[in-house]
Amino acid sequence: MNSETYLDFCFIRNASGNFKEEIDQLLSKLFKGIRLNWYLDETIENGIEMIVAEVKGMSRWQSEDETIEFIEGHADESFWEYLQGYKMFIYPEKRGCTSCGTN
């Protein structure tokens, strides 16, 4: 079953240029074949580059724990080096009637 997937990541490093492109490549590799899209918001201030990545779409993950397990097993080392924070919400598709979701 598919789940609505919402992931927010905050990546930070010392300013050296092309950070937005690098994060886009990291996410493209990490989520290859998964129906997710992202928007990257870049801020450069006081010699620091920050990217907030808003990722959303559909995935096969059924929980936040399952999503974390996937990311831990597939993310490049630089993903972890730059990652400063995240939040995620996974909403599994529930089959059934629209009033209670179980019948």
Side-chain angles (χ1 to χ4, degrees):
M1 283 198 303
N2 286 328
S3 300
E4 289 184 53
T5 303
Y6 300 92
L7 312 171
D8 292 329
F9 299 107
C10 178
F11 301 100
I12 298 175
R13 74 172 183 188
N14 290 326
S16 60
N18 298 320
F19 195 33
K20 189 173 183 178
E21 292 80 9
E22 187 173 346
I23 295 300
D24 186 59
Q25 289 175 358
L26 286 172
L27 295 176
S28 292
K29 183 177 178 185
L30 177 61
F31 298 128
K32 183 177 182 177
I34 302 172
R35 293 180 5 206
L36 296 173
N37 298 298
W38 48 88
Y39 168 76
L40 304 178
D41 183 34
E42 180 178 39
T43 303
I44 303 171
E45 191 173 308
N46 298 325
I48 301 293
E49 293 175 300
M50 180 175 72
I51 302 288
V52 174
E54 298 176 9
V55 181
K56 56 184 154 181
M58 301 299 287
S59 72
R60 297 224 178 255
W61 304 311
Q62 296 297 300
S63 68
E64 286 82 4
D65 288 338
E66 192 176 326
T67 307
I68 292 168
E69 186 176 309
F70 173 85
I71 294 170
E72 286 177 344
H74 294 87
D76 286 345
E77 189 174 319
S78 56
F79 177 94
W80 299 111
E81 180 182 332
Y82 303 144
L83 184 67
Q84 298 298 310
Y86 70 91
K87 74 177 175 183
M88 60 181 63
F89 300 98
I90 308 298
Y91 301 105
E93 180 182 336
K94 303 284 188 200
R95 301 267 183 209
C97 73
T98 56
S99 63
C100 71
T102 58
N103 295 320

